[in-house]
Amino acid sequence: MTTHIAHTSPTSQEPIWNIEQIVDSLRAIRTASLAARQRADRPVKLPARKALGVVVEGLSAALFPNRLGARKLQTESVDYFVGHTLDQALNELVEQIIRELQFDAPVESERREQRLRATAIVAEFAEKLPAIRSLLETDILAAYRGDPAARSVDEVLACYPGIVAITYHRLAHGLYQLGTQLTARVIAEIAHSLTGIDIHPGAAIGDSFFIDHGTGVVIGETAVVGNRVCLHHGVTLGAVRVAAGRNAALGRHPLVEDDVVIYAGATILGRVTIGRGSVIGGNVWITRSVPPGIHIAQADLRHGEFDGGLGI
């Protein structure tokens, strides 16, 4: 179907641009793209970024109603607020997971089965929320204790981008574990956009995790981070180049054991282990395992004397 629309100038009936031609061209490109991906007959919708943003905001408010919930929330109405907010968020999450299931297997006859499956996934995810809330409590306390500039736990919860990122990650990781990897990835990318912290939802992160400042932190899909770990801004837990055909699910990112501190700008690549209690200095590049309790820093700067300008 060809549309006949042209925008006209306020002072003239002559079209300024040819909407018809642009729409036709966009349709041709869209059709070719769907055909190339073998989806010409089933252009289903993906999980919606905006809707999932609302879902995570609702879940966050339900987890921390007194700080992230409704304004002027009374003590006697907290449980009602939590229940109502959870119900709304979880129902919308079902709809978004249905989209993912339809994207993976978009067959009309399976729609009822997909709704049942999505509902079961969200019910199992909902059971994880108390455990997620407990983990987040350890993260918030780690940030408060680890930053002398923090004046209160409430300030940490309200202001720190690292707490926003780990909140989104713990929710996304719970969904990732249940097989809804696309939905989880969208949530992770929302956090990335909000904070500049890029944590793949597949990464396994222990309790009391603290990201100080946070901008530029990257944590890959198969990274495993232990308990009481602190990362500063610009840290990368990444992978070396993966050979073609290698199973992407294989461990290819670092293993960081308990009580490790990694300072700003450090890059750690590949399936290496950073031993318990180690301290990794700023801007170092690591591609080999580090034993427990080791401190690694850049070599001391060498200073030379240049008498009379010699050597300059």
Side-chain angles (χ1 to χ4, degrees):
M1 178 183 294
T2 301
T3 187
H4 299 279
I5 303 173
H7 184 74
T8 59
S9 166
T11 60
S12 171
Q13 293 304 310
E14 293 298 319
I16 299 175
W17 46 73
N18 190 339
I19 293 294
E20 177 182 331
Q21 180 180 343
I22 297 170
V23 170
D24 288 346
S25 297
L26 288 173
R27 185 194 316 114
I29 296 170
R30 187 172 63 248
T31 300
S33 177
L34 287 169
R37 289 178 282 140
Q38 299 181 334
R39 292 188 175 273
D41 60 337
R42 48 186 187 180
V44 296
K45 300 293 185 182
L46 294 169
R49 184 186 181 102
K50 184 174 181 180
L52 286 172
V54 173
V55 166
V56 177
E57 286 183 5
L59 293 174
S60 299
L63 294 177
F64 298 97
N66 291 313
R67 295 296 175 263
L68 305 181
R71 190 168 63 93
K72 297 183 178 179
L73 188 62
Q74 300 298 318
T75 301
E76 58 272 16
S77 61
V78 170
D79 285 346
Y80 174 81
F81 170 81
V82 170
H84 177 69
T85 305
L86 270 181
D87 189 58
Q88 287 186 315
L90 295 174
N91 274 295
E92 182 57 43
L93 183 57
V94 169
E95 299 302 321
Q96 299 307 311
I97 290 177
I98 289 172
R99 287 188 172 199
E100 177 173 348
L101 298 177
Q102 291 173 351
F103 179 77
D104 290 337
V107 179
E108 187 67 36
S109 61
E110 296 178 354
R111 295 293 169 88
R112 183 175 181 277
E113 179 183 340
Q114 289 162 355
R115 177 168 291 278
L116 290 173
R117 184 181 170 198
T119 302
I121 289 170
V122 173
E124 190 170 352
F125 170 73
E127 295 294 326
K128 294 173 176 277
L129 290 175
I132 290 172
R133 174 62 173 78
S134 294
L135 269 176
L136 288 171
E137 187 76 12
T138 70
D139 301 326
I140 294 166
L141 288 174
Y144 174 63
R145 292 167 179 165
D147 185 0
R151 295 176 297 176
S152 69
V153 172
D154 292 332
E155 179 185 358
V156 169
L157 177 58
C159 301
Y160 282 35
I163 295 303
V164 174
I166 193 62
T167 298
Y168 277 61
H169 173 73
R170 298 223 185 267
L171 294 168
H173 185 66
L175 291 167
Y176 185 92
Q177 290 179 309
L178 295 173
T180 56
Q181 298 183 4
L182 181 56
T183 301
R185 190 63 187 272
V186 174
I187 292 172
E189 290 306 322
I190 295 171
H192 185 191
S193 297
L194 290 172
T195 66
I197 298 168
D198 184 1
I199 309 177
H200 193 285
I205 299 177
D207 64 45
S208 304
F209 182 58
F210 176 31
I211 303 176
D212 196 2
H213 299 291
T215 304
V217 166
V218 177
I219 302 177
E221 178 183 15
T222 63
V224 179
V225 178
N227 301 320
R228 300 174 301 280
V229 169
C230 173
L231 307 183
H232 290 254
H233 52 285
V235 169
T236 296
L237 303 181
V240 293
R241 190 169 185 175
V242 178
R246 180 179 174 183
N247 186 347
L250 294 175
R252 61 192 188 279
H253 297 95
L255 306 175
V256 179
E257 295 184 345
D258 297 346
D259 303 302
V260 168
V261 178
I262 305 177
Y263 283 99
T267 298
I268 304 171
L269 301 179
R271 197 61 163 184
V272 299
T273 298
I274 306 301
R276 179 170 185 159
S278 294
V279 176
I280 308 301
N283 297 315
V284 300
W285 186 282
I286 295 176
T287 57
R288 296 181 181 178
S289 292
V290 174
I294 297 296
H295 290 211
I296 294 183
Q298 289 187 348
D300 292 337
L301 294 175
R302 297 181 179 273
H303 298 280
E305 294 185 7
F306 301 98
D307 294 334
L310 181 65
I312 296 180

